[in-house]
Amino acid sequence: MVSAPSPHGREDQEEKSSDSNRIIAKKSKKDRREPAKPKAGWKALFAFTTGRHATPLGVAIGFALASGIIPPAFAILLGKIFDQFTDFGAQRLTSAEFEHRMGSLSTYVTVVGAASLILNGCFFMVWVMFGELQAQVCRMNIFEGLSQKSIEWYDMRKSGTGALITRIQSQVRELQLATSQPLGYAAHYSVTAVTSLGVAFYYCWNLTLVILATLPISAFFLSWLSMRMQPSINAQQEELSAASKSSGNAFQNIETVKCFNGQDTEIVRFTASISKAAKKYMIQAKINAVEFGFVRSVTILMFVQGFWYGHHLVSKGEEDTGTVITTFWSCLTATEAIENILPFLLVLEKGRGAGAALRAIVFHQSWAGGRSRGVIPRHCKGDIVFRNVSFVYPSRPDQLVLNNFTGTFVHGKTTFLIGKSGSGKSTISQLLLRFYIALSGDVLLDGTHFEDIDANWLRSNITLVEQTSVLFQGTVVENISMGRGGPLKVSMDDVRIASEFAMLQQTINDMPNGLDTNIGAKGASLSGGQRQRLALARARLRDTPILILDESTSALDQTTRSLVMSAIRIWRTGKTTIIISHDMSQIQQDDFVYVLKDGMLVQEGFGTALSRVVSAEPKDIIKSFELSVPEEPYTSMSEKRTTRWVAKPPKNAPFPRQPSYDGSASPEADYSSNRMSFIPSVFAAPTPNHTGRRGSFAVGALSTGAPTPFGGSVPSSSLQTGRSSQLKTSQPKPLPSLPEQASTSKRRTQRFSMGAIELVESTGMSALQNRVSGNGSQRGRRSETSMSEGSTPFEAPEDSVDVDNSQAGQTRQVYPMRRIFRTVWPTLNSKQRTLAVLGFSSAAIRAVSTPVFSWIFSKLLATFFDSKNGEAAALKWSLSIIAIAFIDGVACFFMHSLLEYCGQIWVDTIRSRAMTRIMDQPRTFFSDEANSPAQLSQTLDRNAEEMRNLLGRFAAFLLVALVMMGMSLIWSMVVCWKLTLVGLSITPVSYLVTRGFQSVSAKSEGESNDAADNASSVLNETFTNVRTVRALTLENHFESKHTNAINRVLRVGFRRAMYCGLFYGVSEAIAYVVYALIFWYGAKLAAAHEFSIDDILLVFSMLLFSMNNLTSIIGFVPQIQASKDNATRLLQLSQMPEDSHERFGNVRSPVDGDIVCKDLSFGYSSHPDSQVLFNVNVTFPRGTCTAIVGSSGSGKSTIAALLLRMYPVPFSTSLSISPSNNSDRSGFTSLFSASTPSTLSTPRSGTNLLPLQSAPRSQTYSPPGRPTCPITISSIPLTSLSTPHLRQYVVSVPQSTPLFPTTISENILYGLPSHSALRNPRNVRNAASAAGIHDFIVDLPSGYRTLVGDGGTGLSGGQTQRLAIARALVREPSVLILDEATSALDEGSAELVRESVLRAMGQRKQEGKGRELTVLMITHDKCMMEIADRIVVMEQGRVVEVGEYAELAGRRGGTLRGLLRGGEWET
């Protein structure tokens, strides 16, 4: 019985609606608030430190303390050494005593070196391990924290989920980097500074106070600078998130970007974001440069008051020379330790900011968590009740999506939800999975409130299959097994049964590795129809009490859809099934139907009763329940007859009891139809040797291995399985065969549609058995439905599994530093090159100042044993240090600021170039797992940020070290060549150790980055598909996968820590060995009076300061290698070849003529031996509307993809065919014969194959054997046309349309150049009105300025589709390709689109002058076919029928007629 709303009922609804509106604002405003940005204190570095980390942290601090004591200990020894030289110079020691004492002190220095090897090696190793532990716990907590977030929380991310995950991964890296070596060095140098100051105070407290007089002011100034740095870090992170969001969306929707010439738009948008981020980073760089210059100047200026006062103490006899030298060197060590912290300060600042941000994500409370606990019922019966439920989405808090909806979904019954796009149908499925909580009202399952039920248990009993089905990275078998939690929980037999149910046999057998074929990220290598069938197989394996199908068969052709739906009905007998659809043909008489409009229930009732209701409201929603197939040659739309009939069952029709998959028996029922379809075993290989379109069929012959009417037999299971060793193996159960009595039926000989025959041969017998053992449903004629193949120019067409693994398994070589730095100069303009030269010149000045300072320092030391003019000389040399301090400080500032600036320009140019090269790559590039959107975005984000350090930080340090070492060595050789050569004798050993350190660090950093990328990809896949993961209750599966990935990261990191720690300890120890050697040999030279003490002290100073800087550089080796690895990844993208097929062709003539396909054959690169199109010869005349129809996988969308040059068009060898000036049938047959298979080359009797258009008179054909382009437009070969120019005139509207993160207006205008005359508001409104979306847009608060896409207002599938149609219409194309463009629309919206297309064609014809609009419609929708001038019917890559709709649909036994009838038997 039908319930139509009464006037009073409507008033009640409006009252309730107003009540609901009153409570929207309070909740929505609360939930829309972003959490306040946390203040990043230094404790944020330990945000993820747990009690288990207390021991490793304590050990790390212990080694930091121990290793930090080594420099003060060396300072004490150094003071004693200089004391011995002073006493010897003052002739207070004999040569023998001097040599003996110096030998002992040199031994002590060697002991300090041995201690340095152990302590510094362990220090480095433990701190790297601590950083790895922090990263592991952080990744674990992030995964767990994100798992607890509600879907609403994800909806409210301004930057979108993809950009959020990319930023999280970068922040994890920043935190890890900060809490490993930099934090360890900060602790190490802090201990060194404190200990050194303690030594200084112990030996001479008054001199120490004089030296450190400026320290309080310096500390205050540095703290003030540090506080100003954090806001710029946060601002930079926001801009980088925007850049990641932009690039991620572009890569994820690369087909749409290319088809609408949006590459430049995306590049400009990305470049703008990174430019803003660069400005924020330069604030940080300048502050850091000021810190460097200030500390450097203050450090040197300490010598002015320090040496003057120290000499005063010595001259007065209050202190001896050794005490002063020890105090002074201790203070110098302390200030240098503080200076050495500065390079790590920016890293630590970023790390604490990252720690605070990550902690905020983990611990931010979400009102509807992902894994909320609750009641776990013992059994799920499946009765669902909605009581006055209202709901708003967080992105549209002022708009009710559901308005007091009340309905019941009865256990064991099938219920339909129908209505216009955006009426709230899919929202009900989202509420049932508890992705959201209703604003008001109650939702009950078996009498229990949804809010009280455990979310995991609830979702484990409900399966949702959506129109755009999400698949995961992996193989076919892995994706199907996700229905039960993963491959380890299912048997191969289970997978085969599920595959058979979804009719996947032909698809799987065509794949290179069968079930073990990798389908790419999100199933990118599959078409829409293949993805939907794989999702249905997954749902069949899951087999839950409640099933929700949300347009889940919209991408299937009518034959496949009919068979799959029949199988679903048998499977779902006795279980709750909810079907959301615009396809009214699926509704049977005992199905209950709810009709929604604007979120309100407007009608309800059983199917047959509802079809008889006359109501004004649902007329634009509900199609006719019956399909009218013309029995006469032509029936107009206004004259068409819809006859509702119920056929009697054929005589002797079998009524077997069909066992269900779970072993339970299905009820017996009558099969009420005089037509039926059949399908053999899903694992049977196709039988290609049939010779006609007709044949006899004995039902009993369908059992496995039995002969078939097409020749040969149906073999037993032959599905390719590849290496599915991870699945449990079990003996496959034989499929039940049909009753033998069917073979004796008098109705053995039947007539088939060709589509049904091919489907029968290649799919499976499950659907047939489900039909024959049906549940009593009466099958009438099919209604006018909106059917979709799902394959678009934006997606891999249905007939392809095109995965480009050309880069798989390749070993990535890290570029040497020279090759990396060669890319710097070309990226800078003349001004920037000048600044780079000034930056390196400042570095050179900075390097020269150290040897000069060493020379002055030696002069100061000599004043201690100059009793006559020592005090005056000390004052003179102390004052001269002021000039050195000023010059060094200024040079230090410009070195850091200028090189950081040039480094930022370099990196931004390289990643802009990389973005450009990525956008230029062919479609197959993005099918490779290594080139997933997440990986590419991360390379442009994190890898680029670390690459900048090579020029901004490390290049300057390397230059300073090289210049300093070179100058010091030359100066030392001139002053005392013997001592210098002895010091250089250790150079080979030091070089080998350093090279070994670099090699080990480079290899381990590469392995660590690869392991971290793998863990990041798991995190990205989990939470960018969070709805599907939760709907399938796969949290534990992905958590286990993520845990394994991060455990591998930890193992690789620990191995890296051990190897690098060993080499670091050895490199540190070598410096002390050099010290000991030169002290010992210098004493021998002084004792022998070969060189003066002044010269020896000068060489000591030169070598000491040089070695000190060299050891500091060695400490950067792991970071340098990490930056080199990251730079290699980015440079490889920026240097990819520009050889895409899209770059060939430069003709820019108007594309407004006929489209001719001549001898077009095509196969995908993944399996070139398997063709998709076979010698297609067809013409699409200018200004006509042509519908391309056929079963799924017949090659329709492949033609559209080739027209848009999404794939390289293969050249063909022309046949010697003379152009015909006739347009009669014979002329067409001669042209067309090459396109049809041998079995179909002769038209059947009664077939009228009308030409679309004969070859143009001006068309010339190349001589036989000469390669030609098989596609021409306006007589121009497609390959000769400029690809951007072509796509300006040829526009496609795909079934699955993405929205970009910008306004609605910019989405409609997407890809149009800024100077285009079409970019005006009036044109946008006209296009939106033609697409039927204008009224919806103006009702939004911000109208056409409303943000959509990631982080913006969410739109329904139908609203998104209409926006895509407006995007196409606004461009005023010459060729419009509608690839199932109305499949997601209700009948009213679809009718509006059809009228708009016809109106546009009429208006363009009136304009004339080549302005005619050519329309190609890839469709299964009868209504779309009816408006077409011609129909092209394709089958298995060949054109089999061409003609007008009325003619082909009315021809008995024809292919189109069979498709419209769902592939059923025809009497």
Side-chain angles (χ1 to χ4, degrees):
M1 179 177 180
V2 177
S3 170
S6 65
H8 296 291
R10 188 165 301 169
E11 290 174 3
D12 293 339
Q13 282 188 342
E14 290 175 357
E15 266 184 40
K16 293 177 181 178
S17 175
S18 61
D19 292 338
S20 299
N21 286 327
R22 293 189 191 105
I23 60 176
I24 291 176
K26 183 177 179 180
K27 177 182 182 302
S28 61
K29 290 179 181 179
K30 176 182 177 181
D31 293 330
R32 285 180 64 86
R33 286 199 301 263
E34 292 273 354
K37 288 191 178 296
K39 293 184 179 180
W42 287 111
K43 66 178 182 180
L45 288 171
F46 303 96
F48 298 95
T49 304
T50 65
R52 291 167 43 196
H53 296 161
T55 299
L57 180 60
V59 173
I61 293 175
F63 278 112
L65 292 172
S67 61
I69 295 174
I70 290 176
F74 177 69
I76 295 174
L77 291 175
L78 194 61
K80 293 184 179 295
I81 289 170
F82 276 101
D83 199 15
Q84 302 305 315
F85 273 94
T86 301
D87 289 344
F88 181 72
Q91 298 181 354
R92 290 192 288 269
L93 291 176
T94 64
S95 296
E97 291 175 337
F98 176 58
E99 286 190 59
H100 175 72
R101 292 184 180 183
M102 285 300 299
S104 300
L105 291 173
S106 298
T107 303
Y108 295 153
V109 173
T110 305
V111 172
V112 170
S116 175
L117 187 153
I118 298 173
L119 296 177
N120 279 307
C122 292
F123 152 80
F124 190 95
M125 178 179 64
V126 175
W127 277 104
V128 172
M129 288 181 174
F130 178 72
E132 294 289 346
L133 288 172
Q134 290 294 283
Q136 185 197 38
V137 173
C138 180
R139 291 185 175 108
M140 291 175 61
N141 279 269
I142 285 294
F143 193 96
E144 182 65 26
L146 291 177
S147 297
Q148 297 295 334
K149 298 291 184 258
S150 66
I151 296 297
E152 179 175 351
W153 185 87
Y154 288 97
D155 290 344
M156 296 309 300
R157 299 309 95 197
K158 292 181 180 179
S159 59
T161 304
L164 171 69
I165 299 301
T166 301
R167 186 97 304 270
I168 284 175
Q169 292 162 359
S170 298
Q171 288 171 336
V172 169
R173 173 65 177 172
E174 290 171 354
L175 180 63
Q176 176 190 357
L177 184 62
T179 54
S180 53
Q181 300 108 300
L183 182 59
Y185 281 127
H188 169 82
Y189 289 126
S190 297
V191 171
T192 299
V194 172
T195 308
S196 298
L197 290 177
V199 171
F201 276 107
Y202 174 77
Y203 276 88
C204 189
W205 64 269
N206 50 351
L207 177 59
T208 303
L209 289 176
V210 171
I211 293 173
L212 300 179
T214 58
L215 190 60
I217 299 176
S218 301
F220 174 80
F221 181 66
L222 292 176
S223 299
W224 179 77
L225 289 176
S226 179
M227 288 188 298
R228 298 201 47 174
M229 188 182 294
Q230 195 61 45
S232 63
I233 292 176
N234 294 334
Q236 183 202 13
Q237 299 300 326
E238 291 182 0
E239 296 299 338
L240 289 176
S241 295
S244 296
K245 176 181 178 180
S246 175
S247 62
N249 275 278
F251 301 149
Q252 205 161 24
N253 306 310
I254 187 63
E255 296 87 354
T256 303
V257 172
K258 285 179 174 290
C259 287
F260 285 87
N261 289 329
Q263 296 97 319
D264 291 341
T265 300
E266 296 300 332
I267 292 169
V268 169
R269 186 179 299 165
F270 174 78
T271 304
S273 295
I274 62 175
S275 298
K276 293 178 182 178
K279 292 179 181 179
K280 302 302 179 182
Y281 178 77
M282 285 313 302
I283 296 175
Q284 307 166 38
K286 290 178 181 179
I287 293 175
N288 208 27
V290 171
E291 291 176 337
F292 271 107
F294 177 77
V295 171
R296 185 65 184 170
S297 297
V298 169
T299 301
I300 298 177
L301 285 173
M302 290 169 55
F303 283 84
V304 177
Q305 70 264 27
F307 259 96
W308 172 82
Y309 187 68
H311 196 279
H312 173 76
L313 294 177
V314 172
S315 63
K316 294 295 183 181
E318 297 181 13
E319 300 290 349
D320 56 30
T321 302
T323 299
V324 172
I325 293 297
T326 299
T327 303
F328 186 80
W329 193 264
S330 297
C331 291
L332 180 62
T333 301
T335 54
E336 282 188 344
I338 296 174
E339 184 181 1
N340 287 334
I341 294 176
L342 294 180
F344 305 106
L345 190 60
L346 184 57
V347 178
L348 293 172
E349 289 278 3
K350 287 190 172 183
R352 71 169 180 168
L358 293 172
R359 185 177 177 85
I361 291 175
V362 171
F363 296 103
H364 173 66
Q365 296 298 320
S366 182
W367 67 271
R371 295 187 182 182
S372 57
R373 301 289 182 245
V375 177
I376 300 180
R378 293 184 178 181
H379 175 69
C380 180
K381 183 180 179 183
D383 285 321
I384 302 172
V385 177
F386 280 72
R387 294 176 182 168
N388 300 321
V389 174
S390 296
F391 177 73
V392 293
Y393 282 107
S395 58
R396 287 181 285 167
D398 302 324
Q399 182 178 354
L400 277 172
V401 182
L402 282 181
N403 194 347
N404 294 296
F405 172 75
T406 298
T408 301
F409 301 92
V410 182
H411 155 67
K413 299 296 182 181
T414 298
T415 306
F416 277 78
L417 289 170
I418 62 175
K420 280 187 174 182
S421 302
S423 60
K425 306 183 300 298
S426 297
T427 301
I428 292 176
S429 68
Q430 303 294 302
L431 293 176
L432 287 176
L433 285 167
R434 241 181 81 181
F435 288 160
Y436 302 95
I437 300 298
L439 184 67
S440 62
D442 300 314
V443 184
L444 296 90
L445 174 62
D446 297 334
T448 305
H449 284 272
F450 263 54
E451 292 84 351
D452 299 332
I453 301 176
D454 179 81
N456 193 63
W457 180 92
L458 181 68
R459 292 165 187 160
S460 65
N461 284 277
I462 301 176
T463 298
L464 171 64
V465 184
E466 296 181 289
Q467 179 180 12
T468 305
S469 303
V470 174
L471 303 180
F472 299 100
Q473 177 70 50
T475 63
V476 175
V477 68
E478 289 172 345
N479 270 276
I480 294 176
S481 63
M482 291 294 184
R484 289 189 187 168
L488 299 178
K489 299 182 180 180
V490 298
S491 67
M492 182 59 70
D493 190 35
D494 296 330
V495 174
R496 285 195 179 102
I497 291 174
S499 302
E500 174 186 332
F501 167 84
M503 301 170 60
L504 283 168
Q505 182 265 352
Q506 184 175 6
T507 299
I508 295 173
N509 277 344
D510 287 344
M511 292 180 177
N513 298 317
L515 284 170
D516 281 325
T517 302
N518 194 308
I519 61 175
K522 294 190 176 182
S525 63
L526 302 180
S527 69
Q530 291 166 342
R531 285 198 293 268
Q532 282 193 346
R533 281 184 282 162
L534 201 150
L536 287 169
R538 186 168 62 191
R540 176 64 185 89
L541 186 65
R542 188 171 167 81
D543 197 16
T544 53
I546 301 172
L547 174 67
I548 307 171
L549 302 178
D550 190 350
E551 294 285 0
S552 59
T553 59
S554 62
L556 305 181
D557 61 85
Q558 181 68 3
T559 302
T560 306
R561 183 190 306 185
S562 176
L563 294 170
V564 168
M565 286 305 301
S566 296
I568 289 174
R569 285 190 176 274
I570 297 302
W571 162 41
R572 299 302 300 174
T573 300
K575 299 175 182 177
T576 304
T577 305
I578 302 172
I579 301 178
I580 301 170
S581 178
H582 295 127
D583 183 5
M584 302 300 299
S585 67
Q586 299 177 6
I587 300 177
Q588 297 184 359
Q589 59 183 356
D590 57 346
D591 294 332
F592 200 82
V593 181
Y594 290 108
V595 182
L596 281 77
K597 183 178 181 182
D598 298 330
M600 293 188 292
L601 179 64
V602 295
Q603 276 192 356
E604 59 181 319
F606 286 97
T608 51
L610 189 64
S611 66
R612 294 192 294 269
V613 171
V614 179
S615 173
E617 289 181 323
K619 274 186 176 179
D620 55 352
I621 303 172
I622 307 175
K623 293 181 176 181
S624 172
F625 276 78
E626 299 80 37
L627 172 63
S628 176
V629 179
E631 300 294 338
E632 304 299 330
Y634 176 74
T635 305
S636 67
M637 293 182 66
S638 60
E639 298 170 346
K640 62 185 179 183
R641 295 177 289 118
T642 52
T643 305
R644 186 166 184 84
W645 57 276
V646 177
K648 297 180 180 180
K651 295 181 180 180
N652 303 322
F655 302 112
R657 180 180 296 273
Q658 169 67 32
S660 64
Y661 288 113
D662 58 4
S664 61
S666 301
E668 296 182 3
D670 293 340
Y671 178 69
S672 302
S673 178
N674 67 339
R675 300 176 295 171
M676 59 182 176
S677 300
F678 72 97
I679 251 180
S681 171
V682 70
F683 302 116
T687 309
N689 56 339
H690 60 279
T691 58
R693 298 184 49 133
R694 303 181 183 182
S696 301
F697 169 59
V699 180
L702 283 178
S703 57
T704 303
T708 69
F710 313 110
S713 62
V714 181
S716 57
S717 299
S718 61
L719 186 65
Q720 300 177 25
T721 58
R723 307 178 308 277
S724 301
S725 56
Q726 74 241 36
L727 291 176
K728 301 177 184 176
T729 57
S730 64
Q731 195 66 23
K733 302 174 183 179
L735 292 172
S737 60
L738 293 176
E740 199 64 37
Q741 72 218 46
S743 63
T744 62
S745 172
K746 295 180 180 180
R747 303 176 60 88
R748 292 183 179 179
T749 305
Q750 305 286 354
R751 290 180 296 174
F752 306 90
S753 72
M754 189 61 188
I757 291 177
E758 300 296 339
L759 196 60
V760 161
E761 292 186 336
S762 61
T763 315
M765 68 190 306
S766 173
L768 167 65
Q769 293 173 331
N770 288 341
R771 280 196 177 186
V772 175
S773 58
N775 60 356
S777 59
Q778 295 180 343
R779 299 179 53 82
R781 295 176 181 246
R782 285 301 186 194
S783 70
E784 307 163 18
T785 58
S786 211
M787 292 165 278
S788 167
E789 181 185 18
S791 173
T792 72
F794 309 116
E795 300 173 351
E798 297 229 356
D799 19 69
S800 74
V801 182
D802 193 20
V803 182
D804 182 7
N805 293 321
S806 59
Q807 298 182 11
Q810 292 184 357
T811 302
R812 177 176 44 80
Q813 298 293 332
V814 177
Y815 290 169
M817 194 73 78
R818 180 182 300 176
R819 181 173 179 179
I820 294 173
F821 281 136
R822 279 178 184 170
T823 64
V824 175
W825 194 254
T827 62
L828 306 178
N829 58 33
S830 57
K831 178 182 177 181
Q832 293 159 356
R833 289 176 180 178
T834 302
L835 295 177
V837 171
L838 291 176
F840 282 110
S841 300
S842 300
I845 294 173
R846 166 90 168 76
V848 170
S849 64
T850 299
V852 173
F853 173 77
S854 300
W855 177 69
I856 296 175
F857 181 71
S858 66
K859 295 297 182 180
L860 284 170
L861 292 177
T863 62
F864 285 109
F865 45 85
D866 185 357
S867 56
K868 296 181 179 180
N869 301 316
E871 189 169 354
L875 179 61
K876 181 184 70 173
W877 293 116
S878 296
L879 292 176
S880 64
I881 290 178
I882 296 177
I884 299 296
F886 176 78
I887 293 173
D888 201 10
V890 172
C892 191
F893 169 78
F894 282 110
M895 177 187 75
H896 285 283
S897 60
L898 293 180
L899 291 183
E900 285 281 14
Y901 171 75
C902 293
Q904 187 68 55
I905 297 296
W906 171 51
V907 167
D908 286 349
T909 303
I910 293 296
R911 59 178 161 191
S912 294
R913 186 178 300 166
M915 180 73 173
T916 303
R917 294 295 177 92
I918 292 171
M919 302 301 290
D920 187 59
Q921 297 306 302
R923 186 189 185 283
T924 52
F925 169 83
F926 299 90
S927 300
D928 190 354
E929 181 180 357
N931 302 324
S932 65
Q935 293 288 357
L936 294 174
S937 296
Q938 188 168 334
T939 301
L940 294 176
D941 182 7
R942 179 177 67 83
N943 293 29
E945 288 297 296
E946 295 193 18
M947 173 183 173
R948 181 187 53 234
N949 293 334
L950 287 176
L951 182 60
R953 292 175 57 195
F954 305 133
F957 291 147
L958 290 173
L959 179 62
V960 168
L962 290 175
V963 173
M964 188 184 301
M965 285 292 296
M967 187 173 179
S968 297
L969 289 176
I970 293 173
W971 200 335
S972 298
M973 287 289 290
V974 172
V975 175
C976 184
W977 62 272
K978 285 187 176 181
L979 183 59
T980 305
L981 289 177
V982 169
L984 291 176
S985 63
I986 307 297
T987 300
V989 178
S990 178
Y991 175 78
L992 291 176
V993 171
T994 304
R995 291 294 297 174
F997 192 10
Q998 290 177 346
S999 177
V1000 169
S1001 180
K1003 182 179 179 181
S1004 58
E1005 285 291 342
E1007 292 176 350
S1008 183
N1009 284 338
D1010 290 340
D1013 288 345
N1014 182 50
S1016 298
S1017 66
V1018 177
L1019 183 75
N1020 184 79
E1021 185 177 31
T1022 304
F1023 293 105
T1024 53
N1025 305 315
V1026 64
R1027 292 175 186 266
T1028 304
V1029 170
R1030 290 185 180 175
L1032 296 174
T1033 59
L1034 293 173
E1035 293 96 332
N1036 291 334
H1037 168 79
F1038 280 99
E1039 185 174 12
S1040 175
K1041 188 176 179 180
H1042 184 256
T1043 300
N1044 293 334
I1046 63 176
N1047 286 341
R1048 182 176 180 274
V1049 176
L1050 186 65
R1051 291 193 300 270
V1052 172
F1054 274 23
R1055 187 165 61 246
R1056 173 174 68 98
M1058 290 186 289
Y1059 290 146
C1060 292
L1062 174 63
F1063 278 94
Y1064 178 74
V1066 172
S1067 64
E1068 286 287 314
I1070 287 177
Y1072 289 100
V1073 173
V1074 173
Y1075 295 155
L1077 186 60
I1078 62 175
F1079 288 152
W1080 171 78
Y1081 191 68
K1084 292 186 70 67
L1085 292 177
H1089 301 286
E1090 294 187 36
F1091 294 92
S1092 67
I1093 293 180
D1094 290 350
D1095 293 339
I1096 293 174
L1097 291 177
L1098 175 60
V1099 173
F1100 279 174
S1101 299
M1102 294 284 184
L1103 295 181
L1104 280 174
F1105 284 106
S1106 298
M1107 289 298 296
N1108 199 24
N1109 279 275
L1110 183 61
T1111 53
S1112 298
I1113 294 298
I1114 291 175
F1116 287 116
V1117 166
Q1119 297 179 54
I1120 292 174
Q1121 296 304 320
S1123 296
K1124 283 175 59 180
D1125 184 79
N1126 290 312
T1128 300
R1129 294 167 187 255
L1130 184 60
L1131 287 172
Q1132 285 177 339
L1133 291 179
S1134 69
Q1135 296 169 357
M1136 289 189 296
E1138 297 178 302
D1139 57 358
S1140 171
H1141 68 278
E1142 299 174 12
R1143 298 184 65 86
F1144 296 99
N1146 54 13
V1147 176
R1148 295 180 177 272
S1149 299
V1151 182
D1152 55 7
D1154 301 342
I1155 302 173
V1156 180
C1157 299
K1158 180 178 181 296
D1159 298 329
L1160 174 61
S1161 297
F1162 179 75
Y1164 290 97
S1165 60
S1166 59
H1167 40 289
D1169 296 333
S1170 177
Q1171 282 194 187
V1172 178
L1173 298 177
F1174 298 88
N1175 297 323
V1176 172
N1177 288 274
V1178 67
T1179 300
F1180 304 102
R1182 180 181 64 187
T1184 62
C1185 179
T1186 304
I1188 307 176
V1189 302
S1191 60
S1192 300
S1194 59
K1196 308 182 300 297
S1197 292
T1198 300
I1199 293 178
L1202 292 176
L1203 286 177
L1204 284 160
R1205 296 193 69 181
M1206 294 303 296
Y1207 298 93
V1209 179
F1211 280 78
S1212 63
T1213 301
S1214 299
L1215 298 176
S1216 181
I1217 301 176
S1218 300
S1220 174
N1221 295 331
N1222 300 323
S1223 58
D1224 58 8
R1225 299 174 190 175
S1226 60
F1228 176 77
T1229 303
S1230 64
L1231 178 65
F1232 210 76
S1233 59
S1235 70
T1236 55
S1238 58
T1239 57
L1240 301 173
S1241 58
T1242 303
R1244 296 180 304 265
S1245 59
T1247 301
N1248 294 323
L1249 297 181
L1250 300 178
L1252 292 180
Q1253 179 176 312
S1254 59
R1257 188 183 300 270
S1258 61
Q1259 179 71 42
T1260 59
Y1261 296 97
S1262 301
R1266 180 179 177 181
T1268 59
C1269 178
I1271 303 177
T1272 61
I1273 302 181
S1274 302
S1275 302
I1276 303 172
L1278 188 69
T1279 52
S1280 299
L1281 287 168
S1282 166
T1283 302
H1285 179 75
L1286 170 72
R1287 293 170 179 169
Q1288 181 180 346
Y1289 287 90
V1290 181
V1291 178
S1292 175
V1293 180
Q1295 179 185 9
S1296 300
T1297 303
L1299 294 178
F1300 294 93
T1302 184
T1303 64
I1304 290 178
S1305 178
E1306 286 301 317
N1307 264 279
I1308 294 176
L1309 294 171
Y1310 183 78
L1312 285 175
S1314 58
H1315 59 272
S1316 174
L1318 299 175
R1319 292 186 66 95
N1320 62 79
R1322 181 179 179 181
N1323 197 28
V1324 171
R1325 288 193 297 270
N1326 291 340
S1329 298
I1333 192 70
H1334 174 73
D1335 292 340
F1336 168 78
I1337 296 174
V1338 296
D1339 286 341
L1340 294 172
S1342 301
Y1344 282 89
R1345 296 182 180 179
T1346 302
L1347 290 173
V1348 292
D1350 277 348
T1353 300
L1355 302 181
S1356 70
Q1359 291 161 349
T1360 303
Q1361 194 70 27
R1362 282 180 279 169
L1363 205 59
I1365 295 171
R1367 180 188 293 166
L1369 295 177
V1370 79
R1371 304 169 77 88
E1372 298 184 0
S1374 297
V1375 180
L1376 177 63
I1377 302 174
L1378 301 177
D1379 196 345
E1380 293 295 353
T1382 60
S1383 62
L1385 304 182
D1386 57 83
E1387 178 56 22
S1389 299
E1391 178 65 25
L1392 180 61
V1393 171
R1394 291 193 291 270
E1395 292 175 355
S1396 299
V1397 171
L1398 293 176
R1399 184 167 55 252
M1401 292 183 66
Q1403 291 175 352
R1404 298 282 283 276
K1405 283 184 178 179
Q1406 291 177 1
E1407 294 176 8
K1409 298 181 182 180
R1411 290 285 297 164
E1412 292 91 345
L1413 173 63
T1414 303
V1415 179
L1416 276 63
M1417 301 185 300
I1418 299 170
T1419 184
H1420 295 120
D1421 188 356
K1422 172 177 171 290
C1423 294
M1424 295 292 285
M1425 299 178 200
E1426 288 177 332
I1427 69 171
D1429 299 315
R1430 293 290 188 271
I1431 307 291
V1432 175
V1433 184
M1434 297 193 66
E1435 199 165 75
Q1436 293 191 347
R1438 296 174 170 88
V1439 178
V1440 294
E1441 288 182 350
V1442 178
E1444 295 182 354
Y1445 170 77
E1447 173 194 359
L1448 298 183
R1451 179 163 49 80
R1452 299 176 64 84
T1455 303
L1456 179 62
R1457 184 180 178 90
L1459 289 172
L1460 293 174
R1461 291 174 175 268
E1464 297 185 343
W1465 296 64
E1466 185 177 8
T1467 57

